[in-house]
Amino acid sequence: MKVKATLKQIAKELNVSVSTVSKALNDSPEISDQTKIRIKEYAKLKNYKPNVIGLNLKNRKTKTIGVIIPNILNSFFAKVFSGIEKVADEKGYNVIMCISNESLDKEAHTLEMLSNGTIDGFVLSVSEEAQKLNDYSHFASIINDGTPIVMFDRIADGIECDKVVVDDFDSALNATQQLIDLGCKNIALFSSVDNLSVGKLRTDGYLQALKENNIAINKNIILRTDSEDDLNYRIQELSESCIIDGIFALEESDSVAALKYGLKRGNRIPEELSIIGFADGILASRRLSPSLTTVSQHGVEIGEVAARLLIDRLESKEESKPFETVVIKTKLKERETTRKL
């Protein structure tokens, strides 16, 4: 294996300064084309690789973005990361992905570790524990130290930074209205994300749709929990006498639970029971039978927008660039768990 050359070694061999080598490798207009070609060819011959972390220490730019997601098993976050990576690659940035596993401590530790000269900025979705405890001090600390953050999906309202969200409230209102328009009068709510900001917004949208259509709230069929296990337990406890002809599920796993519930009860879907779920993952939408009608969050687009917001801020010459909150519109994808209007 070839030994990697250093800037100092290249400078010595070619009898030029280290500064000249650095400028030539970075295409500085201060260096002649002939010298650039000579230095670049020699650097390639000697297997020179730039130190990404140490590069451009003067302006502290690493051309690297840190991405922190709460859960690697969630297909939505995988789609968002795909969008982030696409834009980062186009703009010449590297990406480091970390997983908080819904832990406040791990989230804070990752922020502190990566902001110490490893990355230029973060794109992240807030952990479940941080939202549950309403503790966002670690974000404020990083931003105050000069490292920008773009939040997506789950955000912290009190933190001033760029944000990318979907229209959770309106999407839930419209999805519930769709069930009502299909003739559903007893619409259950299945939620395992009641402790998250997105869960609360979606629940509010569901309740608003019932209110606007003068449908009485039946607390017996509104299952608001903080975990999949709790939701599954609550579903098992549902009385056999409960009349349910529609279900609005707030997360991909909740959608799967809703479909299982209907099939176990022997309901004909969608004739006797209509289901709409949030998130458009492969599991919920296409690999189950019948296939689920879902609210698509456009995860790839969210990632692309978030990455562009961060890179634009990193490369902006404005000292006090205003923060933006971009709202991505969702789309209802109708499949086999709802009838056509």
Side-chain angles (χ1 to χ4, degrees), residues 118-158:
T118 304
I119 56 90
D120 296 332
F122 290 99
V123 177
L124 60 87
S125 188
V126 180
S127 68
E128 177 183 338
E129 191 175 17
Q131 289 210 317
K132 190 173 183 179
L133 298 174
N134 197 32
D135 185 349
Y136 306 127
S137 57
H138 49 307
F139 300 126
S141 175
I142 294 297
I143 292 170
N144 290 339
D145 285 343
T147 304
I149 290 175
V150 177
M151 294 181 178
F152 70 89
D153 189 46
R154 305 182 198 168
I155 61 173
D157 288 330

Side-chain angles (χ1 to χ4, degrees), residues 154-306:
R154 305 182 198 168
I155 61 173
D157 288 330
I159 299 297
E160 291 191 2
C161 65
D162 294 311
K163 295 164 185 173
V164 185
V165 296
V166 298
D167 53 340
D168 286 291
F169 177 86
D170 288 341
S171 299
L173 189 153
N174 294 335
T176 308
Q177 185 63 54
Q178 179 83 350
L179 291 170
I180 294 168
D181 292 343
L182 288 170
C184 299
K185 299 184 185 302
N186 300 283
I187 303 169
L189 178 85
F190 285 9
S191 172
S192 64
V193 289
D194 197 52
N195 53 327
L196 302 179
S197 56
V198 293
K200 291 180 172 64
L201 285 168
R202 294 168 193 173
T203 298
D204 289 345
Y206 157 86
L207 294 171
Q208 182 64 26
L210 298 185
K211 181 180 178 182
E212 289 180 3
N213 289 272
N214 297 312
I215 296 176
I217 293 172
N218 181 356
K219 292 183 179 179
N220 294 324
I221 59 174
I222 297 177
L223 311 185
R224 302 176 64 173
T225 71
D226 294 348
S227 71
E228 288 181 45
D229 289 342
D230 286 345
L231 178 62
N232 288 328
Y233 175 77
R234 292 281 302 278
I235 290 171
Q236 289 174 8
E237 293 296 300
L238 274 173
S239 170
E240 288 290 331
S241 61
C242 279
I243 300 172
I244 297 175
D245 55 13
I247 301 175
F248 178 46
L250 304 196
E251 184 72 3
E252 184 175 8
S253 60
D254 305 345
S255 304
V256 175
L259 183 56
K260 286 181 178 178
Y261 167 79
L263 294 174
K264 187 176 180 181
R265 279 176 58 122
N267 292 128
R268 288 182 301 122
I269 301 171
E271 292 82 5
E272 296 175 340
L273 177 67
S274 296
I275 302 169
I276 295 179
F278 228 96
D280 193 35
I282 293 173
L283 172 63
S285 61
R286 294 182 285 282
R287 289 189 177 169
L288 295 177
S289 182
S291 58
L292 275 155
T293 294
T294 55
V295 178
S296 175
Q297 295 169 274
H298 303 299
V300 174
E301 183 183 352
I302 289 172
E304 290 175 356
V305 172

